[in-house]
Amino acid sequence: MKTLMTLTLTGLLGTAVAAPLPLIPLPLKVDPGEGAFQFSAETVIRYEADYVSEAKLLAEDLTKLTGTRPKLVVAGLKFSAPSEIYLGSSHNDELSASGYELKVRPDDLVIRGKDAAGVYYGTRTLLQLLPAGKLAGISARIPAVTISDGPRFGWRGMMLDVGRHFQTVADVKRLIDWMAFHKLNVFHWHLTEDQGWRIEIKKYPKLTEVGSFRAASPPYGNRKGQDGVRYGGFYTQAEIKDVVAFAAERHITIVPEIEMPGHAAAAIAAYPELGNSDVAGYAPQVMTSWGVHPYTFAPKEETFHFLEDVLGEVCELFPSQFIHIGGDEAPKTQWKQSPGAQEVMQREGLKSEEELQSYFVRRIGKFLASKNRRLIGWDEIQEGGLPQTATMMVWRDVKWGKHALALGNDIVMATNSHLYFDHYQYPAAQELAKGKEYEAIGGLLPLEKVYAYDPAFVAENPAQAKQVLGTQAQLWTEYIQDMKKVEYMAFPRIAAFAEVAWTPPDLKNYENFRLRLEGVMEHYDAGKVNYPKPVPLTKP
Ligand code: ACM
C-alpha cells in the first residue's frame, strides 16, 4: 500500500505516474504484481459449493458487463476454459471475519474468503478492478495484484426514511445494490413515521389502510406550505420478504425500525385508542407537515399488546438480530397532560416522563429478548435511564455515546455532525440557485468532512472501542422526494462513508481517496447514478 500512496502523492505534485487502483473502500493490503489476467466473456466462474450464491451474483454482474452469461463450474468438475475466476474458502488466520484474499496473476484469478461474506466482498473488489459499464472490446486486462482485506467495523450501515417519502421496492433494491458495491452491510429501514406507516401488519390492517396515506405534503421551496395532494404507499409482507432476501444474498442485514413512543402519529391516526386520548383537543391524523409532533403512544396495556403484536410480525419478516424501536424526539407534552399516563407513572414509581419512556423501552426490550432479538434505539432512550441490554444509536451530541459506553452499552455512531446525508453537500445558496428541488433540510456536509470522520473517537479505552459496533449514514427524506434525489444526496458521500466504516484510520488519505474515486465514479456513471461530481482536487 505504501507504494500506491507514494505514487499518488507524487501524482498530485504533477508528475505523470500510475493512478492507484480504483478501489473504495481501500483494502488493508494491496501488493501489485507482474503482468495481467486476461478477462473475457469466455472466462468461467469456478466455485466451491458453499459459495454458489456468491458465484451466481457475480455471474449476473459479469453478464451486465459482457452481455454473455459466464459458465458456472463447481470446484472439482473437469472443464477446460481459456481463463477462470475461482471462489473458495481461506484458512488464513490473519484474515478477519468477512475478510478475503484476491490474487490476480496472469494465469489465474482467485478469491478466497474467510466466510461467504468475505467471498462476496472479494467479488465486489473484482468488479471495481474491471471496466465500468459495457465492456467495449471482447476482453479486459486486470493488472496482477494481491489483495488481503477485511472490515474495521461489523456495522456499516445506511438508513433510509421511507416514512416522509416512500420509495418503491425497485428503488430500495437499487440502493441496497449500491450499498453492497461499497461493502456496506446494514440497511436500516425506517418504516414508520408521523407522516406515514409503510409496512403491512396483518393483524392491524388500518395501519396501512389509514396510516399509509396523508392528505398533503410540503412542496419543495415552501417548507411551511401544503400541496393538497394525497400521498402514500406501503410495502406488503411479500414485498418485504423479497427485499430481505435480496439484501441477504448481498450480505446486507435489514434492521427494521418501528418508531415509539413518538413519531407515531400515523399509527395513532389509524388506531386512535392507542394514543393519549384523554388530553384536550385530541385529534390524531397522519401528519402533513414535517417536524416533531406531539402524538405519542399512551403507555397503557392495550398499546403494549399492540406493539408486541406488531413487533411479533416484524420479527417474522426480518431475521435481523437487532430491531430498532426509534425513541427519538418523543415530546412529553401529552404524557404530562394525560391522567392515564400520570397514573402509570404513579403506579410504577417513575419520577419523570423521561423515566416513563425508559419504562416503555424496557418493556419492549423484554419482549424482543423473548424473541431472541436485541433492542436498538436512538440516543434519547437513555434520558430516563438506559436499559442494560439496549444498544444505542448516537445521533446527537457525542456525550450520549460516551455516557452509554461508560455504562457498558454497545453503540452505533450515526452522528448528525458527519453522517446526515440529508444535509447539503455544497453551500445552500449554490444548490438552491439550481432550482427549488435542490433544497435540503439544512447543514453543510461536504465529502471531505464525511471522510474525516472516525466513529471510534468516543471510546476512551480498548474495551470501550469494542462496544462501538460501527457506524451509519442517514437519509432522512423530508426534502428527498424520489430516488433521483436519494442518489444526489447519497453519492458520492457513500464512498467516503464506506471507507470510514471499512478502512483503518492510519491507511486513510483524502487525496488518495479522491484519485480512487475517479475510477469508482465511472461505475456510478455506467449505472446512471444521479450525483454531483466533485470538482477535481487542484495541484498544489
Ligand atoms: C433523528 O434524527 N431524529 C434521529
Side-chain angles (χ1 to χ4, degrees):
M1 197 49 245
K2 262 207 181 73
T3 326
L4 287 180
M5 207 72 95
T6 314
L7 289 178
T8 301
L9 293 176
T10 321
L12 276 179
L13 293 173
T15 320
V17 290
L21 293 175
L23 299 176
I24 293 178
L26 182 71
L28 280 179
K29 274 193 222 148
V30 180
D31 294 316
E34 292 288 321
F37 175 86
Q38 200 68 35
F39 170 82
S40 76
E42 277 73 50
T43 302
V44 307
I45 301 172
R46 189 179 283 279
Y47 62 96
E48 293 175 8
D50 285 348
Y51 308 120
V52 62
S53 168
E54 289 68 30
K56 282 185 177 160
L57 284 176
L58 177 61
E60 271 178 35
D61 292 315
L62 296 181
T63 306
K64 280 182 217 145
L65 187 63
T66 64
T68 307
R69 189 175 164 80
K71 283 209 169 48
L72 290 169
V73 183
V74 73
L77 193 79
K78 264 202 166 17
F79 185 87
S80 168
S83 62
E84 285 189 3
I85 295 167
Y86 186 90
L87 307 184
S89 289
S90 169
H91 304 291
N92 181 349
D93 290 338
E94 283 172 20
L95 287 184
S96 62
S98 301
Y100 67 92
E101 289 171 310
L102 167 59
K103 283 201 171 103
V104 183
R105 289 175 294 211
D107 295 335
D108 60 0
L109 193 158
V110 178
I111 294 170
R112 288 190 178 276
K114 195 71 180 170
D115 45 32
V119 171
Y120 182 68
Y121 295 138
T123 64
R124 296 311 88 184
T125 298
L126 170 59
L127 289 179
Q128 291 189 354
L129 290 173
L130 281 163
K134 280 258 173 277
L135 208 53
I138 51 156
S139 70
R141 284 163 57 81
I142 308 177
V145 68
T146 299
I147 292 173
S148 174
D149 200 7
R152 180 180 182 206
F153 290 107
W155 186 305
R156 303 179 301 279
M158 179 161 274
M159 186 217 72
L160 180 67
D161 162 18
V162 293
R164 274 57 172 260
H165 284 103
F166 179 77
Q167 307 301 332
T168 63
V169 165
D171 284 341
V172 169
K173 285 183 173 175
R174 178 168 160 87
L175 182 63
I176 288 173
D177 230 356
W178 279 111
M179 285 177 60
F181 176 87
H182 294 90
K183 302 188 177 80
L184 302 183
N185 71 342
V186 176
F187 176 58
H188 171 174
W189 208 355
H190 185 84
L191 286 162
T192 71
E193 257 308 335
D194 292 317
Q195 296 84 4
W197 181 282
R198 308 278 175 231
I199 171 174
E200 177 190 26
I201 298 294
K202 302 274 191 200
K203 191 154 182 192
Y204 298 98
K206 285 196 282 182
L207 284 172
T208 43
E209 285 165 15
V210 175
S212 75
F213 289 91
R214 61 176 179 255
S217 317
Y220 283 134
N222 182 10
R223 48 180 70 194
K224 298 274 174 241
Q226 299 273 295
D227 62 6
V229 180
R230 184 171 148 88
Y231 180 94
F234 68 92
Y235 308 102
T236 65
Q237 293 203 351
E239 288 174 327
I240 297 237
K241 283 182 196 158
D242 176 45
V243 177
V244 168
F246 179 90
E249 281 182 335
R250 288 155 181 78
H251 297 276
I252 291 178
T253 300
I254 302 191
V255 174
E257 179 179 355
I258 305 295
E259 277 267 22
M260 64 189 80
H263 287 292
I268 297 169
Y271 293 98
E273 63 273 25
L274 300 174
N276 302 289
S277 52
D278 53 356
V279 301
Y282 185 73
Q285 56 156 326
V286 184
M287 293 299 166
T288 59
S289 59
W290 314 137
V292 174
H293 296 284
Y295 284 88
T296 49
F297 285 119
K300 57 190 179 188
E301 294 313 303
E302 294 91 308
T303 308
F304 288 111
H305 288 153
F306 164 82
L307 289 171
E308 290 180 5
D309 287 342
V310 168
L311 291 173
E313 291 193 30
V314 165
C315 287
E316 290 292 315
L317 293 168
F318 296 93
S320 165
Q321 184 193 14
F322 285 96
I323 304 291
H324 204 300
I325 57 103
D328 58 318
E329 300 176 322
K332 306 299 184 289
T333 36
Q334 289 194 342
W335 283 358
K336 281 191 206 295
Q337 294 162 4
S338 157
Q342 292 298 317
E343 234 175 80
V344 174
M345 283 174 61
Q346 279 218 326
R347 186 190 76 207
E348 300 296 329
L350 305 169
K351 291 186 286 300
S352 67
E353 285 72 22
E354 283 71 26
E355 286 190 15
L356 180 55
Q357 179 162 347
S358 285
Y359 161 81
F360 202 110
V361 172
R362 233 174 238 117
R363 282 192 62 160
I364 297 295
K366 275 199 190 116
F367 172 77
L368 290 175
S370 78
K371 300 261 170 204
N372 284 324
R373 306 304 177 100
R374 292 177 67 182
L375 178 150
I376 183 164
W378 299 108
D379 56 43
E380 286 93 332
I381 64 171
Q382 66 176 280
E383 287 177 358
L386 184 60
Q388 234 173 1
T389 54
T391 298
M392 214 185 58
M393 192 165 265
V394 181
W395 72 279
R396 299 177 300 171
D397 195 286
V398 295
K399 76 176 181 203
W400 298 111
K402 287 183 181 293
H403 184 234
L405 289 179
L407 291 172
N409 293 68
D410 289 340
I411 65 171
V412 172
M413 293 299 283
T415 29
N416 62 7
S417 58
H418 289 74
L419 301 176
Y420 268 40
F421 287 4
D422 55 333
H423 290 185
Y424 283 106
Q425 250 187 109
Y426 293 95
Q430 184 181 326
E431 289 301 277
L432 290 170
K434 294 190 237 168
K436 59 182 191 300
E437 66 276 21
Y438 286 84
E439 180 181 21
I441 196 162
L444 179 59
L445 178 61
L447 188 62
E448 189 166 5
K449 185 169 177 188
V450 177
Y451 192 80
Y453 190 61
D454 179 2
F457 78 100
V458 282
E460 281 170 9
N461 54 52
Q464 286 196 354
K466 283 210 178 81
Q467 292 164 238
V468 182
L469 303 183
T471 185
Q472 184 172 287
Q474 277 52 245
L475 285 160
W476 299 104
T477 58
E478 289 94 333
Y479 301 93
I480 300 183
Q481 292 184 6
D482 54 23
M483 190 61 186
K484 284 271 158 245
K485 185 79 177 278
V486 167
E487 291 175 5
Y488 189 79
M489 301 309 280
F491 291 75
R493 291 188 286 202
I494 188 174
F497 173 70
E499 202 144 306
V500 164
W502 182 278
T503 307
D506 57 340
L507 292 182
K508 283 169 62 197
N509 173 293
Y510 185 66
E511 286 73 26
N512 182 277
F513 162 78
R514 285 293 305 273
L515 287 173
R516 285 178 283 118
L517 185 60
E518 290 297 317
V520 166
M521 286 191 298
E522 290 177 19
H523 292 273
Y524 298 167
D525 293 338
K528 300 203 166 23
V529 175
N530 178 46
Y531 69 102
K533 209 164 255 191
V535 179
L537 292 181
T538 49
K539 287 169 191 161

